[in-house]
Amino acid sequence: MCGIVGYIGQSAVQEILLSGLEKLEYRGYDSAGIFVVDKMGNSHLFREKGRIAELREVVDFDVPAQMGIGHTRWATHGVPSIANAHPHQSQDGRFTLVHNGVIENFQELKATYLPDVALTGNTDTEIVVNVIAHFAKDDALTTKEIFREALKVVKGSYAFALIDSKDPETLWAAKNKSPLLIGVGTDFHVVASDAMATIQLTDQYVEIHDGEMVQLTNTDFAIETVSGSVIKRAPYKATVDAADLEKGMYPYYMLKEIDEQPAVLRRIVQQYQNSAGELEIPNELKQAVEAADRIHIVACGTSYHAGWLGKHFLEKMAG
Ligand code: GLU
């Protein structure tokens, strides 16, 4: 699961999407892409295998576009390739989708809704965008209704950002078990899988909860559950430290993070020091640990390995 950035507003979107994706780059990915809609309503899709630097080479910055979606992919279904890179488009070209996560019932969706659709890649995501197009065959449905019908049948984890080329004034999003936020600006909105990607644009964010879908324009956003209840939720101020955003003098985030470890440990220890400088574990933490019959360490990547070490220390110390 990797990165999503979407933007609808007044500024040239290509650079916003690419620099947003670059902020998420250190997490790792195998391919990347952006999709933009220009002022005349024409669509432009750019995808590359490999680095965002390579994607930059193929993006046309002269397209006058102020809305678009971007993605860095960490393949779960299908090899890393241009055909499997996101954004994915429906066969008729109407819908374009980026997705973080894993669709569990992709085979069933394909068999039920897309028996005659020739897919161009092997991802679960391309199946979803074509399922959306399938529901659009009913001319009576609005984009919101089409998206909702698709969300009702999709099972699994997803953060989606969707564009319907028939309505280049609106950006759509939905979330279930994969992170996604709305960023609120003065005359624009963003969606991002992490505020870090767009914190340079705005520090005002609104959470999207599992099972919710979102409609965004330049000036408005509206959240509803997939079952149709309207949700009102106020923005909060994201406190991402701008210094954390940049690698600074370091060639890699990993080196920066290793170097930061003494400072981070000091900060954690200070948190539990009393005025005499002695370690003082808060009572509620002590009680919670004493009352627990087991401890789960939840982690992935490097912290997964650190978790194993922590398990070893805890078991040794606790006998
Ligand atoms: N399951 C999707 C794919 O394989 C999305 C992976 C991701 O989260 O980057 O393309």
Side-chain angles (χ1 to χ4, degrees):
M1 292 183 205
C2 220
I4 288 181
V5 182
Y7 174 90
I8 180 160
Q10 311 285 340
S11 304
V13 73
Q14 291 90 324
E15 187 52 44
I16 290 175
L17 297 178
L18 290 168
S19 50
L21 293 177
E22 279 161 358
K23 295 284 182 308
L24 306 176
E25 206 172 13
Y26 72 100
R27 293 166 185 218
Y29 61 101
D30 54 56
S31 51
I34 66 170
F35 172 78
V36 304
V37 182
D38 69 26
K39 286 183 180 144
M40 286 73 73
N42 299 317
S43 309
H44 306 265
L45 179 64
F46 308 99
R47 300 186 292 180
E48 260 307 324
K49 196 178 152 204
R51 319 312 297 166
I52 292 166
E54 286 155 77
L55 175 64
R56 274 188 179 277
E57 311 248 306
V58 299
V59 167
D60 182 351
F61 288 89
D62 294 331
V63 170
Q66 297 165 339
M67 123 126 151
I69 49 180
H71 187 264
T72 46
R73 173 172 188 243
W74 191 293
T76 65
H77 295 61
V79 296
S81 64
I82 294 184
N84 287 336
H86 301 213
H88 283 288
Q89 289 194 299
S90 56
Q91 200 186 33
D92 60 4
R94 175 171 168 188
F95 295 97
T96 308
L97 184 73
V98 290
H99 165 220
N100 281 167
V102 172
I103 302 306
E104 282 155 20
N105 62 338
F106 71 100
Q107 275 160 325
E108 187 190 316
L109 291 174
K110 179 161 179 0
T112 313
Y113 300 105
L114 314 173
D116 305 320
V117 175
L119 300 170
T120 57
N122 308 99
T123 65
D124 45 348
T125 311
E126 195 187 354
I127 292 176
V128 175
V129 76
N130 279 292
V131 168
I132 295 170
H134 165 86
F135 286 109
K137 283 185 197 153
D138 181 347
D139 288 336
L141 296 186
T142 63
T143 310
K144 192 205 285 188
E145 289 162 341
I146 293 165
F147 192 25
R148 168 170 293 141
E149 287 310 304
L151 291 172
K152 280 189 199 159
V153 298
V154 167
K155 293 196 177 77
S157 62
Y158 54 78
F160 288 139
L162 173 76
I163 291 175
D164 176 358
S165 301
K166 282 202 174 163
D167 176 10
E169 308 285 310
T170 311
L171 185 63
W172 299 90
K175 171 193 156 15
N176 195 45
K177 295 186 222 154
S178 281
L180 197 65
L181 292 167
I182 302 165
V184 183
T186 41
D187 55 4
F188 68 89
H189 283 99
V190 294
V191 286
S193 51
D194 188 320
M196 209 183 230
T198 46
I199 194 81
Q200 256 106 345
L201 301 175
T202 177
D203 63 2
Q204 296 297 309
Y205 287 86
V206 182
E207 286 177 3
I208 309 171
H209 292 183
D210 287 349
E212 291 176 353
M213 55 190 287
V214 187
Q215 180 172 5
L216 305 123
T217 62
N218 290 358
T219 49
D220 273 316
F221 72 89
I223 309 176
E224 278 184 26
T225 63
V226 172
S227 49
S229 317
V230 174
I231 304 288
K232 292 277 167 224
R233 194 173 293 131
Y236 66 91
K237 188 169 184 289
T239 52
V240 180
D241 183 346
D244 288 343
L245 290 180
E246 303 303 338
K247 291 199 290 278
M249 302 294 287
Y250 294 92
Y252 308 109
Y253 271 96
M254 192 165 122
L255 276 183
K256 180 173 182 267
E257 285 166 9
I258 290 171
D259 250 20
E260 282 172 351
Q261 282 178 8
V264 172
L265 278 176
R266 208 169 294 127
R267 213 185 301 153
I268 294 169
V269 170
Q270 275 164 1
Q271 182 89 31
Y272 296 111
Q273 262 172 343
N274 62 21
S275 48
E278 297 145 348
L279 266 193
E280 200 175 274
I281 305 300
N283 267 337
E284 58 285 3
L285 181 56
K286 247 190 250 170
Q287 282 159 8
V289 173
E290 278 164 9
D293 69 339
R294 68 195 66 196
I295 295 173
H296 295 272
I297 300 175
V298 182
C300 70
T302 308
S303 53
Y304 171 77
H305 296 284
W308 275 102
L309 193 65
K311 170 179 147 72
H312 169 77
F313 285 146
L314 287 170
E315 287 175 345
K316 208 169 147 195
M317 286 154 93

